[in-house]
Structure formats: C-alpha cells, structure tokens
Amino acid sequence: MNVTVKDVAREAGVSVATVSRVLNGSDAVTEKSAQRVREAVVKLGYSPNFLGRNLRKRATNVILVIIPNADHSLYMKICAGMQACALRYGYDIITAVSNAATAVETRHLNMLFNKTVDGAVLMGTSFDAGTLNRLAEEYDIALCCEGVTGADVLTVTVDDERAGYDAADALIKLGHRRLGFIGVESNALSASLREEGFLRALGDHGIELPEEYIYRDTYDAVNGAKAMERFLALAEPPTAVFAVSDLIALSAVRRAAELGCMAGKDISVIGFDDIDACSLTTPSLSTVAQNCSEMSEVVCRKLIENIKSERKDRGYYTVEHRVMMRESTGVLNKK
Amino acid sequence: MNVTVKDVAREAGVSVATVSRVLNGSDAVTEKSAQRVREAVVKLGYSPNFLGRNLRKRATNVILVIIPNADHSLYMKICAGMQACALRYGYDIITAVSNAATAVETRHLNMLFNKTVDGAVLMGTSFDAGTLNRLAEEYDIALCCEGVTGADVLTVTVDDERAGYDAADALIKLGHRRLGFIGVESNALSASLREEGFLRALGDHGIELPEEYIYRDTYDAVNGAKAMERFLALAEPPTAVFAVSDLIALSAVRRAAELGCMAGKDISVIGFDDIDACSLTTPSLSTVAQNCSEMSEVVCRKLIENIKSERKDRGYYTVEHRVMMRESTGVLNKK
DNA sequence: GTGAAAGCGCTAACAC
DNA sequence: GTGTTAGCGCTTTCAC
C-alpha cells in the first residue's frame, strides 16, 4: 500500500541504490536509468519517507522557531523572513508558540533533543543563561529579538540601548524637556536596555527625570492607560512619553484622548516595534521600527552555518533600527 | 557520543526490549528492572530519537497547521487554541506560513507526503476542491476559517452568511437604511458568503442596494480607504458600511476621518474578525468576532479522531460568531 | 517478565 | 555505472 524505494526500484528495473542516487541528484548514474526511475516515481506516486531518510542522514533540514507570544505581529514577520532565508539553504522552518511558559518551551525543545529538528531559534526565551549555555553545548540554538545576560549563545537583536536613546533624542529634538517613560517590570533585557538608552539621552541633554515620570508595570497593554492617567494627574505632566512597546503606547494614546489630551498635539507619544496597528490608528503612532528582514536573515543564516559546521559562532549581532515619526508626536506646544 | 537505547540497556544491565517497554509504559516489566532503566536514562542523559521511533511506529503525533498570512492575529489565536487542544491528546502542533501561494503550500504539504506529520489543517487554502478531495483521499486534512465549495473535506468555520446577515442587521437596527458594502475580488468563499448574508438582511428589511454602494477590490487594507473615498464622493453616501475584514474597515475609518467624516458619528463602520487593533484604535472598531477557541478546539479534536480512526469525518461544522458594537457605529444621525 | 531478532524506509560504503 | 548489503534508532513479535 505504501510505496517505497523498493517498489520504485522494481518498477524501474534497477536497484534501490540507483533509485536513491537519482533522488539525491548523484551524477553517477546513466541518463537512461535516471529516466526510468523518474517515470516509476511518477507512475507509482512515490514520495520518499523522510523519517527513514532523516534517520539515516542524521539530519532533518528543519529549524524550529519558538515564539513566546501569538499576539505580536513582529514575531510573525520575523518568521516569514526566516522562512524565505531558510528556503535558499534547503531548510524548512516550523514554528511553535510557548506563551513564555518554561514548561511549554521545554516541551518544544524536545524536538531538538529527539532529533526532530536540527536547530532552534528562541525569540524571547524564558530560560536563564545557565540553561541556555548548557543547551548550546550540545545543540544548535540561537536567540532572536531578545538577548539574555550571560548567555554565550548566538544572538541577534536590535541595539536596544541605542534605540532607546534615539527615541528619547527624537522627542528632545521636538523641544520636549519633560519626558515620561513607560516600562515593564520584568527581567526582559530589551526593555531595560531601552530604558538605559532613554536615560542616557536625557543625561546627555542635561535633563532630569523626576521619579513620577517613570511608570513600570506588567507587560500588558492596559498599563499604558494606567501610566497615562498617573502622568496626567500630575501638577506638571510630561509633555512627551516613550513606551517600550507599541501596545502600551497605543493604550496610553487612547486613554490620553479620553482624558481630553490629544497625542501629537497636547502630548507626544512614541512606542516601539512598529506593529501593524501603528499606521492604522488615529493618530498614527510614532515608534521605533526593528529591521525584521535583516534580523531574520542574519539569525537564520548564521544558525544554518553553525548546524553545518564544527566551528560554532556564538556572537552577539545587532541590526538596524529606525525611528518612525508619525502623528502621535509633535513639536512642543508652548502655552 | 550519541546515546541510544543500546547504551541505556547496557548501563541498566537489561535488553533493549526492556528499555523500550519501560519508556513506553508497558506494564510487562518488573519494578526492579524499570527502576534500573530509569536510573540509566537519567545517568546517561538519554533522550529517545523520534526519527527511529516514528519510523517504526509509522506515526509522529504531530499536526501541521498552514497559515496563509503572517499578519493576521486571528490565525495565531487559532494556532494557540489548537496547540492547547492537541496537547491533551498527546499531539504537537507545528505551523508554517504559505503567504497564500500554492507553491509554498505544496512545499509544506510535503511534510504530509513524506510522513513528517500525521495530519494538516489548512487555514484559507489556495487549493481547489478537486485537489483537496484527492488529498483527503490519502491523508488526514482539515480546513479551518475558510471552506472551499465542493470540497468534501472536514471543515470548521463560522457561519459566514449568517454573520454577514447579523452585521447588516445590527446597522439596520441603529436606524440605517443606506448601507454600503466593502468586499474583496477573490474566490474566497467566506467573503462571498458574508456578502450574501448582508444582501439577505437588506432584502428582509426591504432595503435596496444601489450599485454604487458596493465596492470590491483586492484583499488589501488600502482598499478600505479607496472605498470610503468613493462612497463619500457620492451625492448621497451610505450612512453605514460593512467591510468583510477589520483591516479594510480600519483603513476606511481612517480615510473617512481625513475627509472630515467621523466614524461612529457621521458614518457607521463595522468590520469582521475582531483583530487586536479593533479595541486599540480611536474610535474603537465595531466588528463581528469569530469564536476562535471553539473553532480551534473542534477542528483539532475532529482531525485527531480522523487520524486515529478508519472512519473519516468529512463534515462541515460551524461555530458561533458575535457582533461586537464599539465606537465606530452609532444610531443614524438625522440631519 | 525478558531477550533475540526482524524490520520500519532510507542512504552510502563497498564490491564489481 | 550499478547492485548488494549494512545499519541509522527504534518497537514489537515470538520464543523462552
């Protein structure tokens, strides 16, 4: 019932070795035999069983990408980019969502342990540096979007510190001196780097940051609204705000509007990531865009190189970011 | 270097058969042997090679989900739901993006042909009914979100006709009699069903639909803007508009605002899908939500049942939808 | 209860 | 250039 190389060999009147040679593009075969094999393949509707092939070759040419969060369009964009890149190297990408839960992430990594995939890209992993280093000892893994302090693992991200700096700088260039910051209470490296960069920019411009201008909470859109409420209740609210994620920024913009304060006019708000919604809302959201295509390209190529080679590249690479000014930011409105 | 059952057997002082029995939970083994095997597994850090196991078992317990479009949060939500459901049955979900391109979709389906996965869910496939029927003859596949006319394949969607009806009905209940429709020029079954339902609602209320109140273009957000321009240029523009997708609706809302026409006040707009952006924009977008969790649950469970059984369920199932009224719709503003 | 051995489908070394 | 055969790692009959 299930057609195998044997069947094809019999049909074509050759040996299984010849069939395998034709299928794998080995040139050591006469055109006549090759032709006969190809015909038999078509006639029998043969499709090679990759379990057998992979078992023998000890490779699957498949890379696993673990996504922490199904709601974030950034991750899907990067996956699409990696897929395009992998294809050129003869690899396939499969993705799985971890919901940032260690248990789920571990379950997915089983595919690495049980040889179902050749390598894995972790986007915002929940593992600590020690675990990652142990993993990297035995398997080909890479971090993307989100690095981990102390992890000696191939990593590709934007330069978050620099990006935070640039976001603040863009606001300052618009004349703002009272800058608010909405961050997240987590050990996410990217968020704290963005905060560091933000603070450095303020320092460079001799701007002080009062305690009340900083708001940190869980990574949840609704906290943009909460932060904005707090800011606007101050005697002297900030005139511009940087949020470490677009979702938070959008929620802040919305709450501000409800409180009679229009983003872009009465207050400036800039987010991070450039998710699709940024350009769909009114006002459209200024943000810092990550270069997804470059990020996916770099991480995918380097991981495949690692898989194929004995020498393992464990470098930390950064890709470009770009400040995108839209309608939610404007020059300081001197009253 | 790579530890196998053999190594575990030697370490535990038993045969490979016993090791396998312990690993697979067969009861025909003494607790003493089992204990020794478990210890050896831990000591050697053994992890079974699934290529060998799957080859032997002729099953992988993995389901492939093909997503047409990486930008649509709906698909990711459904994937997450399917993952949760699959887990309960001991299956894993892997996803791949096709960009609605037949070539890519075919490439992904190779995983089905080469036995890398046990079944596949297609969300908005680019295959025609004939191809799907032939596929379903030999493999376990299911359609989700988007059916195909004439495809005798397990399918789970919302009742798009009814949903289109309900969207129109909601607008009519707000007092609107001049209803516009923004559709897509494609053979997507869901879109045409939504249109049918929309028209039926109008018919039921004795409302005529002038030709100029219908706009159809490619499935692209920017067409919401184009449609709105056309509508607002009419001597008597529609007072309410139904768009078959949220992205299109959001773009329409935005363009309307630019033309001085505020959604929710001057014109009502309702979309479809309830993507995340709906509640983040101002005004928030009214829409028709699909019951993602039910959809993913049903399709996943029934597909797994098909995989496990000889009897194949090829039914067409529909799940609930819900009209969500937000700020972009309002009662007819009589001037 | 346990072990020996066959075999899942494939590739590649080796012999001709 | 082609065929024979071993073996990738695993499960599972079949003896014992």
Side-chain angles (χ1 to χ4, degrees), chain A residues 9 30 97 105 121-122 127 145 167 278:
Chain A
T30 54
V97 180
E105 204 175 352
V121 177
L122 315 181
F127 292 128
C145 291
C278 291

Side-chain angles (χ1 to χ4, degrees), chain A residues 215-242:
Chain A
Y215 184 95
R216 280 196 215 87
D217 208 328
T218 55
Y219 193 95
D220 189 344
V222 71
N223 292 314
K226 286 203 233 157
M228 193 51 87
E229 280 169 27
R230 274 262 286 276
F231 288 158
L232 294 182
L234 295 173
E236 274 211 329
T239 64
V241 172
F242 169 46

Side-chain angles (χ1 to χ4, degrees), chain A residues 2 47-48 50-51 55 70 76 83 87 92 94-95 97 107-108 111 113-115 254 281-282 327, chain B residues 2 47-51 55 70 76 83 87 92 94-95 97 107-108 111 113-115 254 281-282 327:
Chain A
N2 232 317
S47 179
F50 275 30
L51 296 172
L55 176 61
M76 293 313 294
Q83 194 169 291
L87 190 60
D92 274 307
I94 65 174
T95 64
V97 180
R107 182 180 168 86
H108 289 141
M111 294 190 171
F113 310 149
N114 65 37
K115 305 282 190 277
R254 198 180 149 76
T281 58
T282 309
E327 299 164 356
Chain B
N2 231 318
S47 179
N49 181 323
F50 275 29
L51 295 173
L55 177 61
M76 294 312 295
Q83 194 168 291
L87 189 61
D92 274 306
I94 64 175
T95 64
V97 180
R107 182 180 168 86
H108 289 141
M111 294 191 172
F113 310 150
N114 65 36
K115 305 283 189 280
R254 198 181 149 76
T281 57
T282 310
E327 298 164 356

